């Protein structure tokens, strides 16, 4: 089942903050976050694992509420380079070590000067 | 290689023809995934390889779609009797599960247009 992302679109001014949410109706093992710019491949941002472990390589933060099967991505002091479409990808508890992800429909973020 | 390479970058084919899409993953990445993405949508899972074997092909829409990875590196996605509804960007990704659920590295995709 595809996770649901909200909001569908966000417009910000440089320096403003944004939160993107991802929720699932299924028990989750992990949540990934990716950013995709127009015409380009999705780029990995962060992974959150059941139990609270968090791995990423950019200066962003995220949370994973296992009980509610929800994750949120926090973008603070946004920069023009943050513009793009953000996808969450979820792996379900019981899917083993496959790494198979089901992606949400995306949240389009536009940062204006 | 340094990244995931997909060829061709664009493919236009006539309805009913056969096409092959190639993916060359990052060297040493044992896991390889195929997704397809339609305009304005998130990537849709097709198939996952761990080594040479298809560990999960539950996303393949029908028996016109088939993928192989004979030597555990390069993979080919094959589509028979193409239909206009197959038009999409086909994305390949690879990862190294040995690092413990790492993120995927995606290729730039093959844009398939069936006319």
């Amino acid at each position: 089942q595809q996770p649901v992302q909200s909001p569908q679109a966000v417009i910000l001014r440089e320096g403003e903050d944004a939160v993107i949410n991802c929720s699932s109706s299924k028990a989750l093992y992990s949540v990934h976050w990716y950013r995709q710019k127009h015409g380009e491949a999705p780029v990995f941002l962060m992974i959150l694992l059941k139990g609270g472990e968090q791995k990423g390589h950019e200066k962003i933060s995220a949370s994973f509420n296992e009980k509610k099967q929800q994750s949120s991505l926090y973008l603070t002091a946004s920069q023009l380079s943050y513009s793009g479409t953000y996808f969450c990808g979820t792996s379900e508890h019981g899917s083993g070590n496959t790494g198979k992800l089901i992606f949400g429909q995306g949240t389009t973020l536009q940062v204006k000067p | 290689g340094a990244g995931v390479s997909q060829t061709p970058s664009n493919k236009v084919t006539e309805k009913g023809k056969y096409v092959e899409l190639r993916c060359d993953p990052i060297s040493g990445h044992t896991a390889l995934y195929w997704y397809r993405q339609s305009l304005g949508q998130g990537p849709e899972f097709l198939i996952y390889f761990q080594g040479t074997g298809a560990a999960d092909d539950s996303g393949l829409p029908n028996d016109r779609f088939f993928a192989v990875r004979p030597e555990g590196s390069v993979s080919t996605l094959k589509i028979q009797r193409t239909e206009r509804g197959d038009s999409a960007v086909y994305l390949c990704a690879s990862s190294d599960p040995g690092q413990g659920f790492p993120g995927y590295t995606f290729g730039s995709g093959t844009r398939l247009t069936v006319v």
Side-chain angles (χ1 to χ4, degrees):
Chain A
Q1 186 121 11
Q2 186 180 36
V4 176
Q5 291 185 229
S6 62
Q8 284 190 314
V10 184
I11 300 176
L12 300 175
R13 292 287 178 189
E14 240 181 324
E16 292 181 340
D17 301 340
V19 180
I20 300 172
N21 301 301
C22 173
S23 64
S24 174
S25 59
K26 300 236 178 181
L28 299 178
Y29 184 86
S30 70
V31 180
H32 293 217
W33 286 96
Y34 292 79
R35 177 172 60 215
Q36 185 176 32
K37 293 185 181 283
H38 184 69
E40 298 180 7
V43 174
F44 172 72
L45 297 175
M46 175 166 293
I47 179 172
L48 298 106
L49 304 174
K50 186 172 180 174
E53 189 176 358
Q54 176 178 310
K55 298 180 182 180
H57 61 67
E58 282 199 16
K59 293 179 180 178
I60 58 172
S61 63
S63 64
F64 181 17
N65 186 323
E66 297 162 34
K67 270 191 175 179
K68 293 185 178 179
Q69 312 303 340
Q70 290 177 349
S71 177
S72 295
L73 186 71
Y74 304 97
L75 304 168
T76 56
S78 58
Q79 305 169 19
L80 295 177
S81 62
Y82 285 11
S83 294
T85 301
Y86 290 77
F87 294 100
C88 67
T90 58
S91 67
E92 297 172 9
H93 183 70
S95 63
N97 195 28
T98 65
K100 164 187 170 182
L101 295 178
I102 306 299
F103 285 91
Q105 81 280 16
T107 296
T108 301
L109 179 75
Q110 185 180 4
V111 181
K112 294 186 172 182
Chain B
V4 178
S5 174
Q6 291 189 246
T7 54
S9 55
N10 280 284
K11 176 71 177 179
V12 180
T13 190
E14 292 181 347
K15 179 174 176 293
K17 297 289 188 183
Y18 167 84
V19 296
E20 288 190 352
L21 311 179
R22 175 189 167 104
C23 173
D24 196 346
I26 290 174
S27 179
H29 278 196
T30 58
L32 185 146
Y33 309 84
W34 283 99
Y35 282 78
R36 71 177 174 182
Q37 188 174 27
S38 300
L39 194 63
Q41 301 295 316
E44 174 192 5
F45 173 77
L46 295 176
I47 188 169
Y48 155 64
F49 286 90
Q50 179 57 45
T52 59
D56 187 340
D57 64 358
S58 61
L60 295 177
N62 51 59
D63 62 5
R64 295 186 298 105
F65 288 75
F66 189 71
V68 295
R69 194 186 185 199
E71 296 177 358
S73 55
V74 171
S75 176
T76 304
L77 178 66
K78 308 180 181 193
I79 310 174
Q80 298 178 323
R81 304 183 304 279
T82 51
E83 300 177 356
R84 293 196 178 87
D86 298 336
S87 297
V89 176
Y90 287 79
L91 295 168
C92 176
S94 70
S95 70
D96 183 0
Q99 293 184 20
F101 291 92
Y104 294 1
T105 301
F106 279 92
S108 298
T110 294
R111 181 176 298 278
L112 176 66
T113 304
V114 182
V115 297

